[in-house]
Amino acid sequence: MNEPERQIQTDFTNLVDVLRSSVEKFGPRPILGTERNGDFEWVTFTEFGALIDQFRGGLASLGVGAGDAVAVISNNRLEWAVGSHACYSLGAKYVAMYEAQKDAEWQFILKDSGAVTCLVANGDIEARVHALRGELPQLRHVVNFEGPSSEATSYAALMSHGSAHPVSGRIPDPNDVATLIYTSGTTGDPKGVVLTHANLAANVNSLVQIVDVNQDDRSICFLPWAHVFGGCVELNLGLVTGASAAICSDPTKLVEYIPKVKPTILFAVPRVWNGIHAGVTNRIAKGPKPIRWMFDNALTGKRKQRAGEPVSLSEKVAVALGEKILFPKIREGLGGRLRFAISGAAALSRDVGEFMVSLGVDVYEGYGLSETGGGATAQPMDAPRLGSVGKPLPNVRIELDHTVTGATEVEGEVIIYGANVMGGYHNRPAETEKALTPDGGLRTGDLGRFDADGYLYITGRVKELYKLENGRYVAPVPLETQLETSPYVAQAIVTGQNKPHNVALIVPDLEALLNWAQQHGIAGDAETLLTNVRVLELLEGEVEQANQQFKGFEKVVDFVIDTEALTPQNGLLTQTLKPKRRSIMEKYGNDFDSLYPQAGSERPAPRASFIRELRGRAKAG
């Protein structure tokens, strides 16, 4: 990449100017690709700008104007992106929702935001929204992205009208609201985060100075644009740098898209990297002994090399063989062109980060919230530090409040200052006052610490901290993250409030367990396997391995197993895949309690007794 390519503007004040500048600079280059019949059709920057102009005219014909809220219920698709910028150029605010949300959530957000128009992905959602309109007197129009041109308010009809009756766009004031992003709502109703053009433009200006993305890069947009990481960070960064992206409306198709798109960068959440880690290690485990030896010793050797530790001769040999034979094949499975990846939205396990780097894929972790437009810190690309979330972005300042519950002399609540900090919560003055300090800082609710070089480490959530009966505070998320690095653990929840020690819920990766059982001559379906002593001992060993990273009082002593995944559909995860701990405790509270001895009893926990009984049967057999 030559120097002129990096001369990117860093003084934007609104997203309309971001778009205009990019269309002018990158006109004939592709920006977004949509899969059609197994191949991708690409829209150029110039074509993207023209589509926005058309749809702006269509929306204006419906009476959409400055200050209005336009909602959208859709997975990622070209029309979603067109709709967002058409709204920005009318001075309207965009309010994104997930297709997978319940109708009651749509109704709440439509009503709370005051949406006058709702864009929808298809006819099914259109019918469901129409059924809610009796409670939504302000909602005037529903626009179906897939409706026929004969329907006056379909996307196709509005595009045709806008083409024939163009409407000039307006440059919004920096303080105009660009979007309302509704938080996932782990408890209670979601809150609408008010993000202005100045907020989002500030992140664009900062990120281009830190993240080395250019017009030759290509990504896959599988993170939902309704979430701030995908819809604000990834989409806006690609727009301003001239990068292109294949649109993936279904995240389960990521593996299918990678060989077709051959991305050079990927934006993802830790669950994706955990899945890659588990997939590779499971495949290696099925391979011949020399491959397993090479893989394990090469990873160990590369980790030691990075840490400046002595590397044995056998490890050096394994590293050389791995770089020549094994790692290129693994990278080819990731498309063969991946330069680096950006991880956000949740903490990335250091072990998984080390694993990806050893494969030759640098993973740069960042940190931000909906309330900061998605950005607050990023890893310096010339000096990343695994385990941290990097340093504050340019023009962002971070302080720690050491007076909150669970804080220490080193750790405190992360307080963020900068032009990216939200204007507040929509219609929630009391909650806005709680979230913002008198001098304009955002109370994140996250605990963190700085190292001597100014790198930030997130160590837990203030609200998720709990006390054991010995008075020691525990942050469950780092424990859960470490447990989920096991190829046999799909999900983990840790708890122990007012109890003598921590226990956990383990949702196993059934496919990985079935493969392991087959390799070890153990027959049976999933339910049978989870009563097999050797399988239970395997899971015990995985828990004990994760425990090695933590202090004695933090360790998970016992666990329950359930094969039902935690999902948004069963109400145990939010739409952004964060655990709804209150709901989880309601479902599994009695199971957790059963793991502790009754008062005055010395008997072992029920699961431990069951395993001992199984061992006894095995020996007797």
Side-chain angles (χ1 to χ4, degrees), residues 422-483:
M422 68 171 182
Y425 295 117
H426 185 62
N427 291 337
R428 303 286 187 92
E431 299 204 38
T432 298
E433 187 175 358
K434 290 179 183 178
L436 298 177
T437 63
D439 58 347
L442 173 72
R443 289 193 168 277
T444 65
D446 290 314
L447 283 174
R449 64 176 176 84
F450 283 106
D451 67 14
D453 298 316
Y455 287 77
L456 179 65
Y457 295 76
I458 302 300
T459 57
R461 289 282 295 167
V462 175
K463 290 182 179 179
E464 291 174 353
L465 285 176
Y466 57 81
K467 269 187 183 181
L468 298 173
E469 68 176 21
N470 62 11
R472 306 295 291 272
Y473 280 102
V474 173
V477 173
L479 289 155
E480 293 161 357
T481 300
Q482 192 62 37
L483 285 165

Side-chain angles (χ1 to χ4, degrees), residues 119-271:
L119 316 180
V120 299
N122 52 52
D124 174 63
I125 297 175
E126 180 183 20
R128 289 162 63 188
V129 172
H130 276 303
L132 303 174
R133 292 185 69 176
E135 302 297 323
L136 302 169
Q138 85 290 344
L139 184 61
R140 300 195 297 264
H141 302 286
V142 180
V143 177
N144 184 355
F145 285 152
E146 297 179 357
S149 58
S150 57
E151 291 182 4
T153 61
S154 69
Y155 178 81
L158 293 180
M159 292 294 281
S160 178
H161 180 92
S163 179
H165 304 88
V167 172
S168 298
R170 65 187 295 270
I171 303 298
D173 184 89
N175 294 320
D176 286 348
V177 179
T179 187
L180 298 180
I181 295 182
Y182 279 79
T183 59
S184 305
T186 54
T187 58
D189 290 325
K191 300 189 294 287
V193 176
V194 178
L195 293 174
T196 66
H197 280 269
N199 294 148
L200 298 178
N203 274 337
V204 169
N205 296 334
S206 295
L207 287 167
V208 295
Q209 299 177 56
I210 301 296
V211 184
D212 180 20
V213 179
N214 66 77
Q215 62 187 22
D216 294 323
D217 280 314
R218 177 159 292 175
S219 66
I220 302 175
C221 285
F222 65 95
L223 295 177
W225 286 341
H227 184 250
V228 71
F229 188 32
C232 295
V233 175
E234 179 180 16
L235 202 54
N236 290 342
L237 186 59
L239 179 64
V240 77
T241 57
S244 58
I247 300 171
C248 181
S249 61
D250 180 357
T252 63
K253 292 185 176 181
L254 176 61
V255 174
E256 170 189 328
Y257 277 29
I258 283 177
K260 297 177 182 178
V261 178
K262 299 186 183 302
T264 62
I265 55 176
L266 273 180
F267 293 77
V269 293
R271 187 177 298 275

Side-chain angles (χ1 to χ4, degrees), residues 507-519:
V507 179
D509 186 316
L510 294 178
E511 182 179 356
L513 277 184
L514 288 166
N515 288 335
W516 181 89
Q518 185 178 23
Q519 293 171 37

Side-chain angles (χ1 to χ4, degrees), residues 100-123:
Q101 281 177 287
K102 297 177 180 178
D103 294 26
E105 293 178 272
W106 293 344
Q107 179 177 312
F108 174 84
I109 294 172
L110 287 166
K111 186 173 184 179
D112 187 69
S113 66
V116 298
T117 297
C118 183
L119 316 180
V120 299
N122 52 52

